[in-house]
DNA sequence: TCTCCCTGGAGGTATTTCTC
DNA sequence: GAGAAATACCTCCAGGGAGA
């Protein structure tokens, strides 16, 4: 915080000024419940969290602190910020940690809104994660092999395949399933795919490796294909969110890999 | 100065493995 | 077998370097 304190203070002042100017015709004074953090100690804050764990997410989010930072800085692992299960001692440590990040006060509607935004973001991520399952279901429906997510070992390290067959032992067919929602992510995702293909083929030279990609910029599919051009990748297909698109892509990939159901 | 390409960190979820 | 811990991955964001 010390590194950026001055710049942050200046920006906060500027933002408050510009908000008042920008919305001068729409600003009203309202009476709302306000939590005065400056009047409480870290111990008071800890007591509140102990008695009402549900408040933790909004407090953390207001400080832009998530579970990863809590683990990194406080060595408290596997914190579910939305439904925390913590000891009193752990909560005291967290309260002491976030207290300096909290403003002197915050309105309750503001805090609840912050929680809502974070919750919606989490739920959307959850829904997007289900796309992979749809691909897996289609693979098992149209393929002559049974696919499932599984681990494999390459060069002494463990890696994961989104869909593979068989479920244990040597991999015969491995499939990477990737969503690329932003253009700027194609490098990172393509690198991951090529690396995964290399690992699979290094351990199972006789295996087939395919990729199912969600990339909504159709005119740039050729770009992805060029980036994924590799002797270790035997098939690349694109699918969207729809059932028809998923089924078409999966059938095409299975056919390319020579494992589609007769 | 702007845009594109690339990299890496931070937010998150889901699955597998470990431990009791 | 259940919960905890570890692992892998997805999405978003910010910043640096190169070239137009």
């Amino acid at each position: 915080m010390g590194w950026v304190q001055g710049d942050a203070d200046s920006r906060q002042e500027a933002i408050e000024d510009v908000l008042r100017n920008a919305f001068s015709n729409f600003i009203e004074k309202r009476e709302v419940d306000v939590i005065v953090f400056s009047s409480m100690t870290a111990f008071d804050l800890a007591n509140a969290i102990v008695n009402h764990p549900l408040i933790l997410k909004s407090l953390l989010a207001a400080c832009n602190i998530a579970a990863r930072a809590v683990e990194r800085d406080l060595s408290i692992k596997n914190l579910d910020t939305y439904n925390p299960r913590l000891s009193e001692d752990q909560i005291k440590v967290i309260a002491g940690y976030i207290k300096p990040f909290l403003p002197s006060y915050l309105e309750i509607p503001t805090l609840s809104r912050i929680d809502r935004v974070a919750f919606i973001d989490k739920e959307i991520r959850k829904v997007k994660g289900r796309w992979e399952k749809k691909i897996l279901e289609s693979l098992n429906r149209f393929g002559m092999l049974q696919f499932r997510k599984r681990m494999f070992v390459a060069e002494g390290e463990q890696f994961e395949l989104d869909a593979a067959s068989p479920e244990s032992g040597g991999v015969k067919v491995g499939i990477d399933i990737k969503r690329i929602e932003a253009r700027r992510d194609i490098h990172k995702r393509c690198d991951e795919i090529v690396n995964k293909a290399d690992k699979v083929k290094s351990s199972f030279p006789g295996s087939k490796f395919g990729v199912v990609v969600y990339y909504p910029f159709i005119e740039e599919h050729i770009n992805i294909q060029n980036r994924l051009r590799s002797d270790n990748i035997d098939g690349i297909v694109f699918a969207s969110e729809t059932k028809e698109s998923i089924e078409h892509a999966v059938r095409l990939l299975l056919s390319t890999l020579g494992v589609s159901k007769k």
Side-chain angles (χ1 to χ4, degrees):
Chain A
M1 287 177 77
W3 296 343
V4 296
Q5 181 105 34
D7 289 342
D9 289 347
S10 300
R11 179 169 171 84
Q12 183 178 349
E13 199 175 318
I15 293 297
E16 285 181 12
D17 282 347
V18 78
L19 281 171
R20 287 196 177 89
N21 285 327
F23 298 110
S24 58
N25 295 329
F26 304 96
I27 292 175
E28 298 175 2
K29 296 209 183 293
R30 297 266 176 95
E31 190 171 298
V32 296
D33 290 337
V34 167
I35 302 167
V36 184
F37 295 109
S38 59
S39 297
M40 66 177 76
T41 64
F43 187 71
D44 295 325
L45 183 62
N47 274 342
I49 300 170
V50 167
N51 293 321
H52 308 282
L54 209 57
I55 66 174
L56 183 64
K57 181 63 196 185
S58 59
L59 297 173
L60 288 171
C63 303
N64 196 30
I65 291 169
R68 182 174 300 211
V70 171
E71 178 176 336
R72 182 193 61 210
D73 295 343
L74 306 178
S75 299
I76 297 173
K77 294 184 176 181
N78 304 305
L79 168 61
D80 181 350
T81 56
Y82 293 89
N83 187 23
R85 283 180 295 177
L86 295 161
S87 68
E88 280 198 36
D89 284 344
Q90 286 176 318
I91 289 175
K92 283 176 187 168
V93 172
I94 291 173
Y97 176 65
I98 65 175
K99 183 71 169 53
F101 290 91
L102 287 167
S104 58
Y105 67 88
L106 267 176
E107 301 80 2
I108 285 180
T110 303
L111 264 180
S112 73
R113 188 73 194 183
I114 288 170
D115 181 275
R116 178 186 169 85
V117 169
F119 179 78
I120 289 171
D121 179 60
K122 171 179 84 73
E123 292 297 305
I124 289 172
R125 289 172 197 274
K126 197 191 292 183
V127 170
K128 286 178 176 176
R130 288 178 195 147
W131 183 75
E132 182 184 315
K133 283 197 164 183
K134 290 183 188 171
I135 303 292
L136 186 59
E137 285 163 11
S138 275
L139 284 168
N140 283 322
R141 188 167 160 211
F142 299 112
M144 61 189 288
L145 303 172
Q146 279 298 300
F147 291 90
R148 60 165 293 176
K149 188 186 277 270
R150 61 161 284 189
M151 310 295 286
F152 69 96
V153 176
E155 297 159 12
E157 291 186 67
Q158 280 216 313
F159 297 92
E160 187 185 78
L161 271 169
D162 297 323
S165 185
E167 70 175 67
S168 61
V171 173
K172 287 186 177 150
V173 179
I175 293 169
D176 206 8
I177 302 168
K178 284 271 190 268
R179 286 180 72 98
I180 310 173
E181 298 222 12
R183 285 185 172 91
R184 64 179 62 175
D185 286 337
I186 60 171
H187 322 99
K188 200 174 193 169
R189 296 289 86 76
C190 289
D191 288 351
E192 288 172 357
I193 294 166
V194 170
N195 181 56
K196 185 62 60 71
D198 291 349
K199 299 295 182 195
V200 170
K201 291 295 179 85
S202 70
S203 290
F204 311 104
S207 64
K208 296 278 187 185
F209 185 88
V211 194
V212 183
V213 181
Y214 173 91
Y215 190 61
F217 312 103
I218 294 165
E219 71 281 5
E220 292 182 28
H221 281 187
I222 187 69
N223 185 13
I224 301 275
Q225 285 172 318
N226 287 337
R227 287 171 182 275
L228 294 180
R229 190 163 291 135
S230 159
D231 291 341
N232 292 332
I233 298 177
D234 304 298
I236 306 161
V237 294
F238 294 89
S240 69
E241 297 276 10
T242 66
K243 185 174 175 227
E244 294 74 22
S245 170
I246 289 171
E247 290 185 357
H248 178 261
V250 165
R251 282 172 183 270
L252 181 59
L253 182 63
L254 289 168
S255 172
T256 304
L257 300 180
V259 290
S260 56
K261 203 175 269 180
K262 303 287 184 206

